[in-house]
Amino acid sequence: MKKALLLFVSFLSISAYAQEDAWVYFTGKPNAQTFLSNPLTMLSQRALDRRAAQNIPLDSQDVPIHQPYIDQVTAAAGITVKAKSRWLNCLHVRGTADNIYALLNLPGVERLEFADASLNLRMAPSPAQIQPVNKTMETMVTYNYGNSFNQIHMMNGDLLHAQNFTGSGKVIAVLDAGFPGVNTLNPFARLRNNNLILGGYNFVNKNANFYTGDSHGTLVLSTMGGFVDNQLVGTSPDASYYLYITEDVSSENPVEESNWVEAAEMADYVGADIITSSLGYFGFDNSNYGHTYADMTGNKAFASRGANIAYEKGIVVVASAGNEGASAEPHVGVPAEANNVLAIGAVRSNRLIASFSSIGPSFDGRIKPDLMAQGQASVLSTSTGNIGTANGTSFSGPILAGMIATFWSAVPTLTNQEVVNYVKQSADRYTNPNNQYGYGIPDFSAALNTALAVSSLSKVVFTVYPNPASTQISVQLPTSVQEATISIYTSLGQLIQNNAINTSNTSISIEQLPAGIYMYQIHSGANMQSGKLIKKE
């Protein structure tokens, strides 16, 4: 009887005081216009340049969360703020269910979303019991001598390298579990010597020490940026990198999805062109928090929603498909399942699928994975700086992400959507995709040739004159163009004027603009031209 009573009391205690994870969403951003009028308070100049080049306007998603909202939640009894997202206008919090429910009484709080769906203010079935997966994929490192030629040649990436396209000018954000040794090991000396590690952040420990944590990220980075003569050449050895730790390998908790989104927002802020992530989420330590296959609809899971927004901001997002192909739940997980993420599966050196590579389709029937690259016996740097091999979509993902950076560096005027289109269309199963290979293995040489041919055929030149100008400018249209639109931006990337022009009306007034330097973009169908405009007094 005494034992039964103790068990009962213990159960009550756990129910009353158990810590839960939830997201607190806010109604709006009261100071949005102040930030939108001063874009450099929200984004770096490189980020603004990336938006302007792809004609992506600034909007309220770019505005930080209203600080008083953060302050009041931080001060709430029993609440710990674990992460935040300006894109989704929410905070990830931890506390008892009662303390979290109490946040609904705070000004500006719109709704709550518990990681345990049964705690949400609606009837919902408990998620199916799912065994946690290995988020960072099993590496099975060996220390045998390796040759990285095959994993690049499989995609004809060596043909781009031979043309001196190696990712220069492109910025890749790597979201992973840690990067110990990147600041000391020989395979990364080329990156260090050329100042290609631009920075990073540890979102798990909330500090700037990103040369720590699990070595998984070190291995991942080496497939792109590693360089040891005659042993390892990464797919984008001259790209620049930001290194973000979002993953706590000691546990499986939804806060890691929130860390992922916060890091993606930081990648947007610094102007990254590509996000690559060898992390995946399906089950969690608390089975009530887990995703089910029915959740794989492209924009439901928190990290998938953030990944889709990153794409909307002009970033190519690459994620490893997962290593669960031979398990009871073999499908591509979060965030690779997202609508606008390139999910990368793994093949062996002979181009046949690796048995562990997660498969599709998504629950709503979309093709997943999207593309494939070598993920079995991938050549890389080990955590000690030796060159070895490892298995996992953890490596096929960044191998392909690095090739995307190399391809984009060869045709830097492309939008992220154009990059994705050219790469997919070059793949060997593009006309007949399936649930194991997706669209297949891309051919980056073919993608580049197609992109350059299209660019050459569609290249038209607009002439803006006079420049400098004081009252008005005119646009000379090429003979093949009947009408166009000219947009004028401040030097910070804020759109201030938009005018239609045609063969009978080629002039626009700029008399109302203050003297200074502006950027213009002219669009006509698939044609786009950018330049500087100087307004005189």
Side-chain angles (χ1 to χ4, degrees):
M1 176 68 71
K2 186 174 183 181
K3 182 178 180 182
L5 180 61
L6 288 173
L7 288 173
F8 180 68
V9 172
S10 176
F11 174 77
L12 288 179
S13 176
I14 292 172
S15 300
Y17 300 108
Q19 296 288 294
E20 300 291 344
D21 283 67
W23 292 273
V24 183
Y25 292 85
F26 301 110
T27 55
K29 296 178 177 178
N31 294 334
Q33 192 53 53
T34 300
F35 285 95
L36 290 170
S37 298
N38 299 276
L40 278 174
T41 61
M42 304 185 299
L43 296 168
S44 68
Q45 186 60 58
R46 196 180 194 282
L48 295 172
D49 292 343
R50 188 191 67 233
R51 300 285 187 89
Q54 300 188 53
N55 199 30
I56 299 172
L58 301 177
D59 59 29
S60 62
Q61 287 181 336
D62 301 308
V63 174
I65 301 171
H66 190 45
Q67 189 60 43
Y69 292 166
I70 298 175
D71 294 341
Q72 65 183 2
V73 171
T74 302
I79 296 296
T80 302
V81 175
K82 305 297 291 184
K84 60 182 183 295
S85 171
R86 59 183 166 91
W87 286 346
L88 297 168
N89 201 21
C90 69
L91 300 176
H92 185 121
V93 300
R94 187 171 294 164
T96 66
D98 286 345
N99 285 337
I100 293 173
Y101 283 132
L103 298 177
L104 286 169
N105 298 319
L106 296 177
V109 173
E110 178 185 72
R111 62 187 174 90
L112 303 175
E113 182 180 319
F114 282 86
D116 180 349
S118 67
L119 295 174
N120 289 324
L121 298 180
R122 55 182 173 82
M123 296 301 294
S126 297
Q129 299 278 329
I130 298 176
Q131 292 299 315
V133 301
N134 186 343
K135 303 168 290 187
T136 57
M137 319 310 174
E138 295 177 3
T139 55
M140 295 181 288
V141 175
T142 62
Y143 295 97
N144 298 323
Y145 174 83
N147 189 326
S148 59
F149 178 73
N150 189 73
Q151 62 200 37
I152 297 174
H153 180 64
M154 180 182 291
M155 301 179 290
N156 277 333
D158 54 308
L159 300 182
L160 273 67
H161 286 184
Q163 299 175 67
N164 203 31
F165 299 126
T166 51
S168 180
K170 288 299 169 184
V171 176
I172 302 174
V174 188
L175 280 56
D176 215 285
F179 305 92
V182 171
N183 56 333
T184 58
L185 297 175
N186 181 59
F188 303 100
R190 180 187 175 104
L191 294 182
R192 296 194 303 269
N193 294 341
N194 291 295
N195 298 314
L196 295 177
I197 304 294
L198 302 183
Y201 190 75
N202 187 332
F203 287 91
V204 173
N205 294 331
K206 310 301 181 188
N207 62 44
N209 182 13
F210 51 88
Y211 293 126
T212 187
D214 189 87
S215 63
H216 184 265
T218 302
L219 277 60
V220 163
L221 177 63
S222 73
T223 67
M224 298 177 284
F227 188 92
V228 178
D229 194 31
N230 292 321
Q231 295 186 57
L232 170 66
V233 177
T235 48
S236 51
D238 292 322
S240 298
Y241 296 89
Y242 282 95
L243 310 180
Y244 297 129
I245 299 177
T246 66
E247 189 67 25
D248 182 352
V249 296
S250 67
S251 65
E252 289 274 50
N253 187 278
V255 72
E256 291 159 325
E257 288 195 46
S258 295
N259 290 342
W260 196 100
V261 175
E262 195 166 4
E265 293 175 3
M266 180 65 76
D268 175 42
Y269 171 83
V270 299
D273 302 294
I274 297 164
I275 289 172
T276 186
S277 177
S278 296
L279 305 169
Y281 304 98
F282 226 117
F284 292 106
D285 292 341
N286 183 337
S287 61
N288 292 326
Y289 294 170
H291 300 300
T292 68
Y293 180 44
D295 295 329
M296 303 298 115
T297 55
N299 199 46
K300 181 177 181 180
F302 193 82
S304 295
R305 288 155 60 197
N308 286 332
I309 294 174
Y311 168 82
E312 294 169 3
K313 305 303 181 184
I315 300 171
V316 173
V317 184
V318 178
S320 297
N323 292 347
E324 307 307 314
S327 73
E329 177 43 84
H331 295 102
V332 172
V334 174
E337 63 86 30
N339 292 326
N340 293 318
V341 169
L342 287 176
I344 312 304
V347 295
R348 307 196 296 269
S349 60
N350 60 3
R351 302 176 70 95
L352 296 178
I353 189 170
S355 61
F356 55 78
S357 187
S358 293
I359 63 173
S362 65
F363 184 76
D364 56 336
R366 289 171 293 116
I367 291 292
K368 288 288 175 177
D370 294 277
L371 296 167
M372 308 293 281
Q374 184 170 338
Q376 185 162 325
S378 303
V379 178
L380 42 70
S381 169
T382 69
S383 59
T384 60
N386 295 314
I387 305 305
T389 62
N391 299 336
T393 60
S394 282
F395 310 115
S396 59
I399 284 170
L400 201 145
M403 277 312 312
I404 288 176
T406 287
F407 166 72
W408 207 351
S409 72
V411 276
T413 59
L414 297 181
T415 67
N416 65 330
Q417 182 61 67
E418 289 171 330
V419 169
V420 169
N421 290 345
Y422 283 125
V423 173
K424 276 188 177 180
Q425 290 164 12
S426 77
D428 59 358
R429 298 171 188 261
Y430 179 70
T431 59
N432 190 30
N434 62 35
N435 296 331
Q436 287 74 42
Y437 291 86
Y439 295 100
I441 301 168
D443 180 338
F444 281 92
S445 181
L448 179 57
N449 290 338
T450 301
L452 292 175
V454 170
S455 176
S456 176
L457 288 172
S458 63
K459 184 67 175 177
V460 298
V461 178
F462 301 89
T463 302
V464 177
Y465 65 96
N467 190 6
S470 56
T471 58
Q472 72 173 27
I473 57 173
S474 296
V475 180
Q476 180 178 326
L477 301 176
T479 56
S480 60
V481 174
Q482 301 298 309
E483 58 184 15
T485 300
I486 181 170
S487 304
I488 299 177
Y489 300 84
T490 68
S491 60
L492 298 180
Q494 184 180 11
L495 178 65
I496 56 173
Q497 190 167 324
N498 206 48
N499 296 88
I501 50 179
N502 53 51
T503 53
S504 60
N505 180 25
T506 61
S507 298
I508 64 169
S509 174
I510 60 168
E511 192 168 6
Q512 74 282 8
L513 297 181
I517 299 176
Y518 298 86
M519 302 295 294
Y520 72 79
Q521 283 189 352
I522 301 173
H523 289 266
S524 178
N527 301 303
M528 190 274 284
Q529 178 177 311
S530 301
K532 287 185 179 180
L533 172 65
I534 300 176
K535 167 65 189 311
K536 299 189 300 185
E537 291 287 359

